[in-house]
């Protein structure tokens, strides 16, 4: 549901950019004078301030809670901030210079920026729906833990599989231990490794599988 929601937010952002461009392009050939510039700047400034505060709060909460839907909502509001900022800049420049063509030019620039934001949101959403692996930085931290335990205990790891769904990360791996180890020792080590990974990767659900290190089928 998170990915569908954020994908829809991204699509709406792109739609807003298309609407802005649709209004702006005809005005390149036929620039129009701006009516009530001071009122437009005042209303846009107030709206921009409110959207900026809400957008930054939502993006921050989304990253902290690993919620792509909250992040998408924040970016949606930030696209309104960029739009309002362009309105303020465009109206002020046109009022100050009399160059009416600046209004549609700035609007088109904002539309391009908003399209990029919406595209990136949809890309992340589609990646989540396709069971993408967890970020490379988190994978690198897991490999560091594996390297530490290989050196310390002479064990081996393989079949590391990861994916993410919303805020959750799913991680599984095989732990290959010396044949002479009793089950309780192997189990204790696997619990320790899982705990270490869980402390580094937020909202992780871990599953490990123990195998004898010298048995050929352990490497299949």
């Amino acid at each position: 549901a998170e990915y569908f929601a954020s994908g829809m937010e991204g699509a709406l952002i792109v739609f807003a950019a298309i609407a802005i461009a649709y209004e702006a392009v005809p005005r390149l050939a036929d620039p129009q004078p701006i009516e009530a510039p001071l009122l437009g700047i005042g209303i846009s400034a107030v709206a921009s301030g409110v959207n900026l505060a809400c957008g930054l709060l939502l993006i921050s909460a989304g990253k902290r809670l690993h919620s792509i839907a909250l992040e998408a909502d924040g970016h949606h509001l930030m696209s309104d901030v960029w739009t309002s900022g362009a309105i303020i800049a465009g109206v002020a420049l046109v009022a100050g210079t009399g160059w009416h063509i600046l209004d549609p030019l700035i609007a088109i620039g904002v539309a391009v920026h908003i399209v990029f934001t919406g595209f990136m949101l949809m890309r992340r959403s589609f990646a989540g729906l396709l069971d993408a692996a967890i970020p490379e930085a988190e994978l690198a931290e897991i490999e560091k833990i594996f390297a530490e335990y290989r050196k310390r205990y002479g064990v081996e790891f393989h079949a590391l599989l990861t994916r993410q769904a919303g805020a959750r990360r799913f991680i599984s791996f095989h732990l290959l231990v010396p044949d002479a180890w009793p089950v309780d020792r192997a189990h204790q080590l696997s619990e320790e490794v899982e705990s270490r990974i869980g402390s580094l990767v937020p909202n992780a659900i871990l599953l490990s599988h123990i195998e004898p290190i010298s048995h050929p089928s352990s490497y299949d």
Side-chain angles (χ1 to χ4, degrees):
E2 289 251 356
Y3 292 125
F4 281 113
S6 62
M8 182 61 70
E9 290 271 14
L12 289 171
I13 290 172
V14 172
F15 179 78
I18 293 172
I20 293 171
Y22 180 80
E23 292 290 331
V25 170
R27 294 197 178 197
L28 291 174
D30 183 24
Q32 299 292 321
I34 297 175
E35 299 178 7
L38 293 180
L39 179 61
I41 289 175
I43 293 174
S44 296
V46 172
S48 183
V50 173
N51 283 332
L52 177 63
C54 293
L56 292 176
L57 180 64
L58 282 168
I59 292 172
S60 175
K63 291 180 178 179
R64 186 178 70 255
L65 301 171
H66 302 280
S67 170
I68 190 173
L70 285 178
E71 279 193 63
D73 222 19
H75 284 296
H76 198 162
L77 284 177
M78 291 302 293
S79 70
D80 292 338
V81 172
W82 282 100
T83 304
S84 299
I87 291 171
I88 294 169
V91 170
L93 285 172
V94 171
T97 65
W99 297 348
H100 299 305
I101 198 170
L102 289 176
D103 184 32
L105 284 175
I106 293 174
I108 291 172
V110 171
V112 171
H113 175 80
I114 295 174
V115 165
F116 177 78
T117 301
F119 173 77
M120 294 304 295
L121 278 173
M122 288 191 292
R123 181 182 177 186
R124 287 180 60 193
S125 301
F126 292 148
L129 290 171
L130 295 173
D131 283 343
I134 65 176
E136 289 290 338
E138 294 177 348
L139 285 172
E141 292 299 323
I142 293 175
E143 290 295 346
K144 287 180 183 179
I145 293 175
F146 287 172
E148 176 187 333
Y149 281 91
R150 287 188 185 103
K151 184 176 181 181
R152 187 188 303 175
Y153 294 107
V155 297
E156 188 54 71
F157 299 88
H158 74 172
L160 173 63
L161 298 173
T162 70
R163 69 181 182 91
Q164 48 189 339
R168 296 185 182 277
R169 272 80 166 141
F170 295 88
I171 302 169
S172 66
F173 61 90
H174 291 194
L175 168 60
L176 285 66
V177 301
D179 297 6
W181 276 26
V183 172
D184 63 342
R185 184 178 182 186
H187 175 72
Q188 182 178 358
L189 184 63
S190 71
E191 290 287 315
E192 183 179 328
V193 173
E194 288 183 15
S195 177
R196 288 279 303 278
I197 295 173
S199 66
L200 291 174
V201 181
N203 300 317
I205 296 176
L206 292 113
L207 176 66
S208 58
H209 178 65
I210 300 171
E211 297 174 317
I213 197 167
S214 65
H215 201 286
S217 65
S218 299
Y219 298 88
D220 291 341

